[in-house]
Amino acid sequence: SLQRGYGVVVEPVQWSDIGGLESVKTQLRQAVEWPVLYKDTFSRLGLKAPRGILLYGPPGCSKTTLVKAIATNSGASFLSVNGAALYSSYVGDSEKTIRETFHQARLSAPSIIFFDEIDTIVGKRNFSAGGGGDGGGDSVQERVLSTMLNEMDGVENAAGVLIVAATNRVDLIDKALLRPGRFDRVVYVPPPDLQARRQIMDIYTRDIPLARDVDLDAIAQTTELYTGADLQNVCREAALIALRTRILGNGSFTKNSTSEAAAEQMPVDDASPP
Ligand code: ATP
């Protein structure tokens, strides 16, 4: 487990568990690993490790998984704050939760704080009309934003605390968060292209027996608008169909999703020896 003292336990994710996204992976590794590996060169050149990285892109395309890979490979402790969960507790607690998370991150450095769905934490849709971002209003969300900004500015580079956030709606992110020394790297995580879809199919069929006529190239080609999450589902449903076929004696079932339709093309060989 990745838990070191305080933090969230993350199931380990290797870079090779993520299909495609080569340049995203390289950017992230450089941002996270280089400051540690080439510490002296960094300081000689007057460079600083990034304080914050913002990942944006459509849902289901492995933003969360990338952050877990960073945590796994850097050996940092991992603290996670979910936007939706932050406001579900009673008012007043949200700022405290943010402050305590940063406090714990400093104590357990090297560490990563992950803000999932950050637009729901500090997104514009949360601000009352006309209030603006820096209007000094006192809505919970405005107080949470200023708490975030204060805490981010307070994290010294040497403290070894990296802040990573993910969003589907980068347009909603308050610009104050994008200033240097805050989220200074903004990385787009695109949906998978053909080659990435092929790799993702490989990853999710690694451990299941496939029938001989399964053509993963063809499946990658016919799943143009599928996300990584969709492709993972295709493989899961193919396995379920194999299970049902075995139990019911035939493949009869009601199709209830496009993943099932695609999964049908991919019979899993349930007869092969374990
Ligand atoms: P959301 O914005 O909905 O939180 P996300 O971009 O954070 O989505 P994840 O939660 O990381 O996406 O991915 C959803 C699921 O799809 C995960 O189980 C993940 O492993 C899988 N997945 C997505 N993209 C890929 C990929 N490129 N390679 C392997 N698995 C992927």
Side-chain angles (χ1 to χ4, degrees):
S1 105
L2 283 171
Q3 186 161 17
R4 313 248 196 295
Y6 184 92
V8 181
V9 182
V10 183
E11 74 273 28
V13 173
Q14 304 305 331
W15 295 110
S16 58
D17 294 332
I18 301 172
L21 298 175
E22 290 314 324
S23 86
V24 171
K25 290 190 221 171
T26 305
Q27 282 181 67
L28 293 178
R29 297 181 74 155
Q30 289 177 359
V32 178
E33 292 167 11
W34 281 11
V36 181
L37 288 174
Y38 310 109
K39 202 165 181 271
D40 296 342
T41 316
F42 260 70
S43 59
R44 213 166 353 108
L45 297 175
L47 293 171
K48 285 181 175 169
R51 174 107 17 120
I53 301 175
L54 177 65
L55 303 176
Y56 73 100
C61 293
S62 86
K63 294 183 294 299
T64 306
T65 312
L66 286 162
V67 185
K68 290 178 181 168
I70 297 176
T72 304
N73 287 280
S74 62
S77 46
F78 185 82
L79 294 90
S80 172
V81 180
N82 177 273
L86 187 67
Y87 290 109
S88 68
S89 52
Y90 46 93
V91 177
D93 241 18
S94 326
E95 297 152 82
K96 196 169 154 218
T97 305
I98 302 254
R99 277 198 304 270
E100 281 175 358
T101 306
F102 275 90
H103 179 67
Q104 289 299 340
R106 281 188 291 266
L107 289 181
S108 51
S111 55
I112 295 172
I113 310 179
F114 177 47
F115 292 97
D116 199 5
E117 304 176 58
I118 194 171
D119 53 293
T120 64
I121 301 179
V122 291
K124 286 182 198 142
R125 71 182 136 205
N126 282 322
F127 294 93
S128 51
D134 298 315
D138 61 352
S139 76
V140 189
Q141 292 87 356
E142 283 172 65
R143 293 200 310 264
V144 166
L145 175 63
S146 59
T147 306
M148 279 273 304
L149 296 175
N150 275 332
E151 292 293 338
M152 285 189 83
D153 293 347
V155 173
E156 290 302 318
N157 266 295
V161 177
L162 177 71
I163 299 131
V164 186
T167 180
N168 307 321
R169 293 294 309 274
V170 73
D171 55 306
L172 293 177
I173 301 301
D174 196 285
K175 294 292 170 287
L177 282 164
L178 302 178
R179 296 206 189 112
R182 294 173 182 168
F183 289 102
D184 33 27
R185 301 285 157 83
V186 180
V187 178
Y188 175 55
V189 182
D193 59 13
L194 175 63
Q195 202 195 348
R197 293 198 301 276
R198 181 66 183 77
Q199 283 177 20
I200 295 169
M201 289 306 290
D202 260 337
I203 289 167
Y204 290 114
T205 55
R206 245 176 351 210
D207 298 324
I208 55 175
L210 293 182
R212 241 175 252 112
D213 58 350
V214 171
D215 184 350
L216 296 181
D217 288 321
I219 294 171
Q221 254 147 26
T222 52
T223 47
E224 170 121 34
L225 294 173
Y226 283 55
T227 64
D230 293 333
L231 293 170
Q232 186 180 13
N233 250 329
V234 167
C235 298
R236 200 180 292 131
E237 305 223 20
L240 279 174
I241 292 168
L243 177 74
R244 266 180 250 163
T245 307
R246 165 157 284 197
I247 291 172
L248 302 174
N250 63 40
S252 62
F253 60 90
T254 324
K255 263 183 246 156
N256 57 22
S257 69
T258 48
S259 322
E260 281 202 2
E264 248 191 309
Q265 297 177 27
M266 198 188 90
V268 170
D269 182 6
D270 69 326
S272 64

